[in-house]
Amino acid sequence: MKIVVIGAGAWGTAVAMSAAAHPAGHGVTLWARDAVQAAAMQAARQNVRYLEGVPFPPSLCVASGDALQLCQHADLVVLGTPMAALRAWLTQLHTCRAPVVWLCKGFEAPAAGQASGWLGHEVCAQVAPALRAGVLSGPSFAVEVARGQPSALVAASSDAALRQLLVQAFHSSALRVYENPDVVGVEVGGAVKNVLAIATGLCDGLALGLNARAALITRGLAEITRLGLALGARVDTFMGLSGLGDLVLTCTGDLSRNRRVGLLLAQGMTLAQAVQSLGHVAEGVYSARTVAARAQALGVEMPLTQTVVDLLDGHIQAEAAVQRLMGRDPRGE
């Protein structure tokens, strides 16, 4: 199978490496926007910027230049770009003969005059409705997938044949891939967990204890589920890899960039300082407001998410955020 991965960040690179190491012998090309970066990766046989010390499989090819031409000869195109770039890429690929899946998690930032942003599948329906499309998501840190450590992902699409194609492309002894037709649920789980990871990092950074962390994660899952059901998702999706699994990993793992933001804010850093210190994209910072806006438009209550938004916007400080949540009126679970 010929696979093209667009975007040479940490996650795009890791997915390309996993596919290139597959026993089926896929032909995998990792496309980088920057020709200098592409040449450097090809020469070093690793992505020094994002995954230093993890060597590429021998068969992985790195390219730059005309990405659309490259995609026309592929059997599968994987978009490893941030959410902000998804619309532009899907617009360019709307006539692509190969199916296209994306890795990004979040809601698109709303356009001027628009109340709230869209999920990836909604963006695709607007700009590339004829495209065979889906999403690859789940609990996964890029460096562990790149190293071939045991991981599991979800291949979500309304197209059963595409789900099976993703299993053929990525399922191996190191990476299990499960099919799920619930694209809405998979995307909501992936989008909201990043926001809740910031809240959990804040909790840990303030040394509130393990009880507080467990409560926050559990109530966070309730928020994810409420929003997902309002958008038409299946409730059982949130008990799976892209719901509970991704939430637990991102909220507790030391490799979580979003959790790290919360930890740094608890230490007194400004948001700008925290983001700059990461050196990577923390999607929760950019999607928190869009998640809250979509929930508000649907009349869905998400107090944890709204508190994170107010914290990121500088309306409240870390200690005040905790006091707000603990001071809410009692209610049934």
Side-chain angles (χ1 to χ4, degrees):
M1 187 184 306
K2 292 182 180 179
I3 302 172
V4 174
V5 180
I6 302 293
W11 189 217
T13 301
V15 168
M17 291 173 66
S18 179
H22 196 281
H26 302 313
V28 183
T29 300
L30 175 63
W31 182 89
R33 178 179 55 187
D34 187 331
V36 175
Q37 181 194 12
M41 287 192 292
Q42 183 73 353
R45 299 305 299 163
Q46 62 175 295
N47 189 333
V48 175
R49 181 177 179 183
Y50 292 111
L51 296 170
E52 186 176 8
V54 188
F56 288 166
S59 62
L60 179 62
C61 177
V62 184
S64 60
D66 191 342
L68 298 183
Q69 181 64 28
L70 196 64
C71 291
Q72 293 305 322
H73 300 285
D75 299 307
L76 175 66
V77 177
V78 180
L79 294 177
T81 64
M83 190 70 198
L86 182 63
R87 180 178 293 270
W89 276 106
L90 289 176
T91 300
Q92 293 181 74
L93 293 168
H94 76 281
T95 60
C96 184
R97 69 171 186 83
V100 177
V101 299
W102 48 89
L103 308 176
C104 51
K105 300 174 180 180
F107 285 83
E108 181 186 53
Q114 184 180 319
S116 59
W118 306 109
L119 288 165
H121 75 278
E122 295 173 315
V123 174
C124 187
Q126 294 169 18
V127 301
L131 197 66
R132 294 182 62 200
V135 58
L136 193 64
S137 190
S140 47
F141 288 137
V143 68
E144 293 190 359
V145 171
R147 290 172 178 162
Q149 294 177 258
S151 305
L153 296 176
V154 178
S157 175
S158 59
D159 184 333
L162 175 52
R163 297 197 302 268
Q164 187 55 43
L165 182 69
L166 291 173
V167 172
Q168 295 170 7
F170 297 106
H171 189 91
S172 68
S173 59
L175 182 64
R176 294 191 60 82
V177 180
Y178 292 82
E179 295 184 50
N180 193 332
D182 183 15
V183 178
V184 176
V186 168
E187 289 202 311
V188 170
V192 185
K193 59 92 183 181
N194 285 328
V195 182
L196 298 170
I198 296 174
T200 309
L202 183 71
C203 170
D204 291 345
L206 294 173
L208 300 183
L210 299 178
N211 293 347
R213 180 202 282 181
L216 194 153
I217 292 174
T218 306
R219 297 310 304 162
L221 181 61
E223 288 197 9
I224 292 175
T225 304
R226 284 199 297 271
L227 180 58
L229 293 180
L231 287 166
R234 297 185 340 199
V235 67
D236 57 311
T237 297
F238 302 110
M239 297 300 107
L241 290 168
S242 60
L244 179 61
D246 212 354
L247 178 64
V248 169
L249 179 72
T250 312
C251 287
T252 64
D254 289 337
L255 294 174
S256 169
R257 298 191 294 271
N258 293 284
R259 177 174 178 269
R260 182 68 180 160
V261 168
L263 288 169
L264 295 173
L265 292 175
Q267 294 173 13
M269 277 194 183
T270 66
L271 177 59
Q273 290 170 334
V275 171
Q276 185 177 13
S277 72
L278 292 178
H280 293 250
V281 174
E283 287 284 8
V285 172
Y286 306 102
S287 63
R289 299 172 189 85
T290 55
V291 170
R294 194 68 186 269
Q296 185 176 21
L298 292 166
V300 176
E301 187 181 23
M302 300 186 72
L304 289 172
T305 298
Q306 187 57 54
T307 298
V308 170
V309 171
D310 290 342
L311 178 68
L312 295 177
D313 287 346
H315 299 319
I316 56 174
Q317 299 302 310
E319 292 79 4
V322 175
Q323 292 171 8
R324 176 198 287 186
L325 293 173
M326 293 304 294
R328 298 180 73 232
D329 293 337
R331 63 193 62 205
E333 186 177 34

